[in-house]
Amino acid sequence: MILPTVSPIRLLIAALVTLPVLYLDFLTYQSGNNWLGVVILGLLALGLYIYLSPRAYTFRYLFPGLFAFSLFVIFPLLYTVYISFTNYSSRHLLSYQNVAELLEQDSYIVPDTPCYDYVLYRQGSAKYVLLLVDQSNREQRFLSEPFDLPPGQTVHYPTLVKISAIEPSRSIEGEPLKIAQVTRQGLFIPMRGYQFLLPNGQTLEKEGLDQFCGRNKIWKRNPDGSFTNQKTNSTIRPDFARGIFVDEQGEQIGIGFRAFTGLDSYVKIVTDPEIQLPFVRIFLWTVAFSAISAAGAFAIGMVLAVILEWKEMGLRKVYRTLLILPYAVPAVLSILIFKGLFNQEFGAVNEFLHAVFRFAPQWETNPWGARAMVLLVNLWLGYPYMMLICTGMLQSIPSSIYEASAIEGSNPFTDFFHITLPLVFPPLLPVLIASFAFNFNNFSVIYLLTGGGPKMVGGGNAGETDILVSYTYSLAFRSSENNYALASAIATLLFFLVGTLAWINLRMSSRRIVY
Amino acid sequence: MKPSQRLRLKKILAHGFLLVALALVVLPFLMVLVASLRKGNFPPNSLWLNPDQWSLEHWKYVLNIPYSEIVNPSTGETRMVQPPTPPLHWLWNSVIVSAVSSAGIILLSSTAAYAFARMRFKFRGHILQSLLILQMFPAVLALTAYYTILDSVGRHVEWLGLNTLPGLIAIYLAGVSTNIWMIKGYFDTIPASMEESARIDGASPFQTFVRILLPVSVPIFAVVFILSFIYTMSEYPVASAVLGTPKTWTLAVGASSLLREHEKLWGHFAALAVLSGVPITVMFLVCQRFVIGGLTSGGIKE
């Protein structure tokens, strides 16, 4: 018999890890997330195999990194693609199950039944009883069994509490609470979860702040998935293609639910004029913005790097340290500072331009002014990185080349264009492409400077300086529609774009990268 | 013109050019400093204050000292105010989030980087390539997904849901892909001969990793830590979507909240920017040599 080569200590550790994970999995399974439970179980099995079997030795090292990568990078990417095929938005916010549960909770005040005034009594430290007095016949009084009211917390609806009739004269134990006290102690919130059951079978619920009334459920769920209205006897059924409940006439009833709608969001990008027009314009501006930002920052960085590499200049260290500042200061702060400097009325830029040139551009209200401002700020933010990279490249060029060309009688400009640039440009191309891709999704600079504004005429949520990624943010988080599905569809298109750029970049730099 | 004169002219031109560039870089920061000391809320726009314009109200606001605010400009009536959430709390949140997520990234990515650098296995090249491609996808693109996932996680595990710092940290851990590459690049530059001789002496791969490779790799861990620390300190879109209440805000979200559409508190913002920006900037400049080495040797990062 071959004994396993696993040491007892390792088995003990494995057992200590396995037990809590199994318990967690059990809880997950119990809360109704069956699929998640299966996934956790699978991961646990995979982890145990990797850390116990000698054959999977390499993966013991890879597991933490690749696990985090799958969970925090790949899973959200796939989930984004999934959302883009649904109708997830504020009008279809909840799952079908949640909406069906809400329908089942819908109730109406039963006509021709009395409402009740109430007094809440505290018994002991945490138990409460409710005294109900019939408004039409004050002799008719009911007292509930004791129940809990955790202050400020919700109680699962509906939690039933029985109430029974008591004689008018009977006194009640405990401390009566005024409505103001009930409010201040946060007791209304848990009270919303309770239903009080009269001896005759009618349930009572809180109605406003100061009374309880009889309520019945409106909808009854039928075995075939449809719901029947108890008052009018009409029937509604879910339409899973559209994510709504419809009545017999096909009209929407109640709120919608999340449903799989296939390519709808993508079709909308191409056909809906309110999306299509801004989409094309935003796309073109995004390309222009990233190209100018990458090329401009490169040009400025290169010029500064060349000057700072000139050995006969004094104070090079001081200049270099101060010129990196835009890279060292947190970008969010710099961007917000520039928002102030470019302020149209009081900002430093316009005060200076007005004093010297009698000219004050509209950085905030004119689309071209706003675009120029965004670009200027982004160049300011971007050049130090390029300067650092270029400096590194320049230092790797042997000085003998320049000495040789000096003997030939060259000047600095021919040196730069005939020696430096041809040597430096090919290895820097991947950096330029990466910078293009980075600026393609440079959310902060746009969003914090202009918020995408000024507004695009006839473009819905779109603004004149919006780039695609800030536009998706507005669609998802700033508009009242919260169109998560459409935002995810645009994000999915961006994945392909950025992925293609990254792939090209990889091909170009693969000569330099050693695996 | 004599060669020495030409050289002098060239130097003057170069200095002139650099001085203009310097002015464009430094003046904004000086103006912010001035704006933080100016009475009332004005956008940064001057380098000079008249004696009657000086005030420490914004610094008191940032340091959470009660200060007097003019309620009625015509009568000059004032009252003492104190912010509901001290602004330094945001800086503290940012420091916690950045430190924990940066340390987490190093923990999660270092062993994987070791395997990629020293071991040979199936799909090694493919996994490395996909790491490199996917690290170019910014988190803001998958924001809707992150938001929904955190929302549903938070229904079962409250401390890991929306509006919590651990939830935000979890998203920032997505930085592993970039950093596996950076650390692997550094491991590649360390000759394997020492590890080989240790192996001949009977050390297991894990022992050589912990005893031999880790001690000489401290510089790259410092670089990874600093770079991801600075990145998360300055991250805005994810934090602003995930964090909803002032108590949980990070510096980026809190600072931008001072400049809302209708009430722009430039003075408050300026004081907060100076107070929180200076330490981060100094840290970066001190660690500069490390960081720049890391930039040029391992991978591409912006």
Side-chain angles (χ1 to χ4, degrees), chain A residues 61 72 332 346 385 438 473, chain B residues 45 111 146 234 240 301-302:
Chain A
Y61 295 90
F72 301 125
V332 177
F346 311 106
Y385 173 77
F438 171 82
Y473 185 91
Chain B
N45 70 354
T111 58
Y146 283 122
S234 181
S240 81
K301 188 178 162 80
E302 194 166 71

Side-chain angles (χ1 to χ4, degrees), chain A residues 36-355:
Chain A
L36 190 63
V38 172
V39 170
I40 294 179
L41 214 56
L43 280 172
L44 178 66
L46 185 69
L48 283 177
Y49 171 70
I50 286 174
Y51 283 98
L52 292 178
S53 160
R55 270 204 247 161
Y57 188 80
T58 315
F59 286 92
R60 287 180 201 173
Y61 295 90
L62 292 173
F63 189 67
L66 293 189
F67 175 68
F69 181 62
S70 321
L71 185 65
F72 301 125
V73 181
I74 296 185
F75 174 57
L77 285 185
L78 295 178
Y79 200 71
T80 307
V81 177
Y82 164 74
I83 293 174
S84 77
F85 290 114
T86 68
N87 59 0
Y88 189 25
S89 62
S90 61
R91 269 184 260 158
H92 304 270
L93 200 59
L94 302 171
S95 68
Y96 167 72
Q97 259 146 348
N98 288 346
V99 173
E101 274 166 28
L102 284 178
L103 271 182
E104 282 184 306
Q105 289 178 7
D106 265 358
S107 57
Y108 63 99
I109 297 181
V110 185
D112 305 326
T113 56
C115 284
Y116 299 82
D117 290 333
Y118 73 94
V119 185
L120 188 67
Y121 288 83
R122 194 205 313 269
Q123 293 185 333
S125 60
K127 284 285 180 192
Y128 295 85
V129 290
L130 193 70
L131 172 73
L132 293 166
V133 182
D134 190 333
Q135 287 171 351
S136 52
N137 174 9
R138 303 204 73 85
E139 296 289 289
Q140 193 75 275
R141 307 204 308 166
F142 296 88
L143 188 67
S144 78
E145 294 171 348
F147 56 98
D148 297 316
L149 286 178
Q153 291 172 35
T154 51
V155 167
H156 180 73
Y157 177 89
T159 304
L160 276 183
V161 176
K162 280 189 189 148
I163 49 178
S164 41
I166 55 168
E167 308 90 65
S169 57
R170 191 176 131 188
S171 67
I172 288 137
E173 280 175 57
E175 170 205 355
L177 301 177
K178 293 203 178 73
I179 288 192
Q181 283 170 294
V182 178
T183 320
R184 210 173 313 124
Q185 294 170 21
L187 299 177
F188 273 125
I189 298 166
M191 199 127 80
R192 272 188 240 133
Y194 283 103
Q195 280 191 338
F196 295 90
L197 188 66
L198 280 173
N200 66 10
Q202 175 68 53
T203 55
L204 303 177
E205 281 178 33
K206 195 163 68 63
E207 196 64 47
L209 285 183
D210 53 359
Q211 58 179 353
F212 276 75
C213 296
R215 275 187 166 274
N216 277 355
K217 297 277 167 284
I218 301 178
W219 301 101
K220 188 169 152 286
R221 197 200 285 241
N222 302 320
D224 66 343
S226 63
F227 287 78
T228 306
N229 189 320
Q230 304 288 81
K231 280 198 295 187
T232 62
N233 241 346
S234 62
T235 306
I236 59 168
R237 51 185 71 250
D239 177 349
F240 286 102
R242 290 195 287 163
I244 50 174
F245 280 95
V246 289
D247 61 12
E248 284 103 343
Q249 286 78 42
E251 293 288 312
Q252 178 174 355
I253 300 294
I255 55 172
F257 51 87
R258 260 187 264 176
F260 196 77
T261 50
L263 290 169
D264 277 10
S265 298
Y266 295 92
V267 173
K268 205 172 175 186
I269 296 174
V270 185
T271 54
D272 185 344
E274 203 172 282
I275 309 291
Q276 183 215 15
L277 166 93
F279 184 82
V280 172
R281 283 177 64 177
I282 290 171
F283 178 78
L284 292 175
W285 161 240
T286 309
V287 173
F289 167 78
S290 352
I292 298 172
S293 296
F298 171 72
I300 300 171
M302 188 71 178
V303 170
L304 288 172
V306 168
I307 297 177
L308 288 173
E309 273 308 293
W310 187 27
K311 302 272 183 313
E312 305 194 22
M313 277 264 302
L315 297 169
R316 284 161 61 211
K317 252 201 145 129
V318 179
Y319 281 128
R320 189 168 290 160
T321 310
L322 287 174
L323 284 172
I324 313 178
L325 270 183
Y327 191 51
V329 177
V332 177
L333 297 180
S334 316
I335 294 169
L336 291 172
I337 291 169
F338 273 104
K339 194 185 163 106
L341 293 174
F342 278 99
N343 185 299
Q344 229 161 269
E345 287 130 56
F346 311 106
V349 176
N350 271 8
E351 287 204 352
F352 174 79
L353 289 179
H354 189 73

Side-chain angles (χ1 to χ4, degrees), chain B residues 23 30 56 59-60 62 64 67 71 75 104 111 137 142 147 165 175 180 199 226 233 238 242 256 274 298-299:
Chain B
L30 292 179
L56 284 177
W59 283 90
K60 284 181 177 165
V62 170
N64 204 26
Y67 61 95
V71 186
T75 58
T111 58
F137 293 6
Y147 185 86
L165 296 184
I180 288 178
R199 201 168 62 220
I226 294 162
M233 275 309 248
V238 176
V242 169
S256 67
V274 174

Side-chain angles (χ1 to χ4, degrees), chain B:
Chain B
M1 213 163 20
K2 276 186 268 173
S4 66
Q5 276 179 322
R6 266 181 61 186
L7 186 68
R8 171 171 283 174
L9 185 70
K10 265 164 74 181
K11 274 190 184 172
I12 290 172
L13 277 175
H15 277 292
F17 182 76
L18 288 179
L19 282 175
V20 172
L22 266 195
L24 290 176
V25 168
V26 177
L27 284 183
F29 296 124
L30 292 179
M31 287 180 180
V32 171
L33 184 64
V34 173
S36 77
L37 295 165
R38 182 171 176 178
K39 197 180 268 176
N41 278 296
F42 294 92
N45 70 354
S46 73
L47 293 169
W48 181 252
L49 288 182
N50 295 326
D52 62 323
Q53 288 177 319
W54 287 87
S55 156
L56 284 177
E57 55 182 306
H58 306 305
W59 283 90
K60 284 181 177 165
Y61 160 81
V62 170
L63 297 170
N64 204 26
I65 303 166
Y67 61 95
S68 64
E69 188 182 70
I70 297 171
V71 186
N72 189 338
S74 53
T75 58
E77 184 191 343
T78 62
R79 61 167 181 178
M80 296 304 278
V81 282
Q82 198 170 8
T85 306
L88 281 186
H89 191 78
W90 300 330
L91 180 63
W92 179 236
N93 282 345
S94 275
V95 169
I96 289 179
V97 168
S98 305
V100 174
S101 56
S102 306
I105 283 173
I106 290 178
L107 267 180
L108 288 171
S109 50
S110 56
T111 58
Y114 174 64
F116 282 120
R118 292 290 192 264
M119 297 172 182
R120 293 288 171 272
F121 47 89
K122 256 192 193 171
F123 304 122
R124 179 172 164 277
H126 290 106
I127 301 175
L128 273 173
Q129 285 194 357
S130 49
L131 285 176
L132 198 62
I133 288 181
L134 289 174
Q135 58 119 0
M136 285 177 76
F137 293 6
V140 58
L141 278 183
L143 200 48
T144 313
Y146 283 122
Y147 185 86
T148 324
I149 294 168
L150 280 191
D151 188 25
S152 43
V153 168
R155 278 168 209 205
H156 303 288
V157 193
E158 214 168 292
W159 56 269
L160 196 60
L162 281 179
N163 217 352
T164 66
L165 296 184
L168 185 65
I169 291 171
I171 300 180
Y172 286 160
L173 286 180
V176 281
S177 42
T178 323
N179 293 300
I180 288 178
W181 260 97
M182 283 192 88
I183 300 172
K184 174 201 168 275
Y186 187 83
F187 286 167
D188 283 340
T189 64
I190 300 173
S193 54
M194 278 223 291
E195 291 157 63
E196 267 156 35
S197 51
R199 201 168 62 220
I200 292 164
D201 290 343
S204 73
F206 188 68
Q207 282 170 324
T208 56
F209 172 61
V210 174
R211 300 261 171 81
I212 297 179
L213 201 55
L214 283 191
V216 294
S217 306
V218 174
I220 189 64
F221 293 134
V223 170
V224 168
F225 189 88
I226 294 162
L227 281 179
S228 63
F229 190 91
I230 287 171
Y231 169 76
T232 38
M233 275 309 248
S234 181
E235 204 285 336
Y236 174 78
V238 176
S240 81
V242 169
L243 306 174
T245 50
K247 259 205 148 41
T248 58
W249 280 348
T250 56
L251 175 66
V253 184
S256 67
S257 80
L258 294 176
L259 304 178
R260 264 194 271 262
E261 210 51 57
H262 301 294
E263 195 190 18
K264 293 200 167 81
L265 303 169
W266 284 109
H268 286 5
F269 164 76
L272 180 61
V274 174
L275 189 70
S276 53
V278 167
I280 304 172
T281 309
V282 169
M283 185 182 95
F284 183 93
L285 292 177
V286 170
C287 308
Q288 205 203 118
R289 203 169 308 151
F290 271 148
V291 175
I292 292 165
L295 274 182
T296 41
S297 72
I300 294 151
K301 188 178 162 80
E302 194 166 71

